[in-house]
Amino acid sequence: DTASTVKLGSDAEISAEQFYLENGKINCNGHTLNTSTVYHNGRIYNSNKIRQHGSYENVIIDGPTELYGINNMMYSTINGNITNYDTVSVPYQQSGNVLSVYGHFINKGIYHSLYMDLIGDLTNHGSIYNNSMITVNGTQDQTINISQPVNSEVRIYPKISGTTYQWLKNGEDIPGEQSSMLIFTTLEFT
């Protein structure tokens, strides 16, 4: 591995408005990382907590992450790819906490107590639960891959106006499902 690694000292805490990782790594050495934007193909790991509000772009997270916002309202975005190996949550559970995914969110850990506005793609190999409603509402084809159940409400809401709807499962009509939104209380793989 030729990427550069920055390791925090034993009494350090790191805070910055933006981190440009440029294929590098941040070893938080068990401490907290405070930031508003993390960019460019890096990895953040071994953290006690990552407090973040703003934007992720092409980042691997391997430490518990709490997404913070203004007045306890959290709005963060994912552009490009992000892979979560630990826990993504919010410190305050309320309906205004939204993670907007424009890229590809790959969950291999735990995602909870946070709404997801899915404009991009989702791969779940971990756990999604506890008030983590997912609204699928992109304007392009989207992919949702799951190898573990999603124990949250999932709303599929296409952004196509002036259209009649008939939802299908395995090529067959789902009786009575003709509205513009399809709601599942859980998703399981078969």
Side-chain angles (χ1 to χ4, degrees):
D1 190 352
T2 60
S4 298
T5 300
V6 174
K7 182 176 181 179
L8 299 182
S10 62
D11 60 350
E13 183 171 306
I14 190 165
S15 296
E17 186 67 25
Q18 297 181 339
F19 281 98
Y20 292 92
L21 296 174
E22 297 299 338
N23 300 312
K25 299 176 183 180
I26 297 176
N27 180 348
C28 294
N29 198 21
H31 296 287
T32 299
L33 172 69
N34 297 299
T35 184
S36 67
T37 306
V38 181
Y39 288 116
H40 298 295
N41 305 320
R43 183 179 189 112
I44 301 169
Y45 66 101
N46 196 22
S47 68
N48 173 37
K49 189 179 292 181
I50 301 168
R51 293 183 177 151
Q52 201 267 352
H53 170 70
S55 179
Y56 286 107
E57 183 177 317
N58 298 328
V59 177
I60 295 172
I61 296 176
D62 199 355
T65 302
E66 285 187 345
L67 301 176
Y68 280 72
I70 300 167
N71 297 325
N72 299 330
M73 301 295 280
M74 193 290 306
Y75 302 95
S76 287
T77 59
I78 293 174
N79 296 297
N81 296 324
I82 184 169
T83 302
N84 170 48
Y85 284 99
D86 202 300
T87 303
V88 174
S89 65
V90 290
Y92 309 101
Q93 293 185 25
Q94 56 193 24
S95 62
N97 296 321
V98 178
L99 178 64
S100 296
V101 178
Y102 292 91
H104 187 177
F105 181 66
I106 303 165
N107 182 43
K108 295 184 177 186
I110 298 170
Y111 181 93
H112 71 88
S113 306
L114 186 60
Y115 288 3
M116 181 184 295
D117 187 21
L118 186 63
I119 298 100
D121 299 322
L122 171 67
T123 299
N124 183 52
H125 299 300
S127 178
I128 297 178
Y129 67 94
N130 193 22
N131 299 320
S132 298
M133 182 178 71
I134 300 169
T135 302
V136 181
N137 63 7
T139 58
Q140 308 265 331
D141 288 344
Q142 293 174 263
T143 302
I144 299 175
N145 293 309
I146 60 172
S147 65
Q148 296 296 318
V150 175
N151 294 309
S152 285
E153 184 174 284
V154 177
R155 296 179 179 196
I156 300 175
Y157 185 66
K159 299 260 180 148
I160 303 169
S161 60
T163 304
T164 59
Y165 295 90
Q166 175 58 64
W167 293 96
L168 307 173
K169 179 179 179 183
N170 297 327
E172 301 290 326
D173 289 356
I174 301 174
E177 294 296 342
Q178 296 177 324
S179 69
S180 63
M181 184 182 296
L182 184 61
I183 300 174
F184 297 97
T185 56
T186 189
L187 287 180
E188 295 186 15
F189 59 98
T190 56

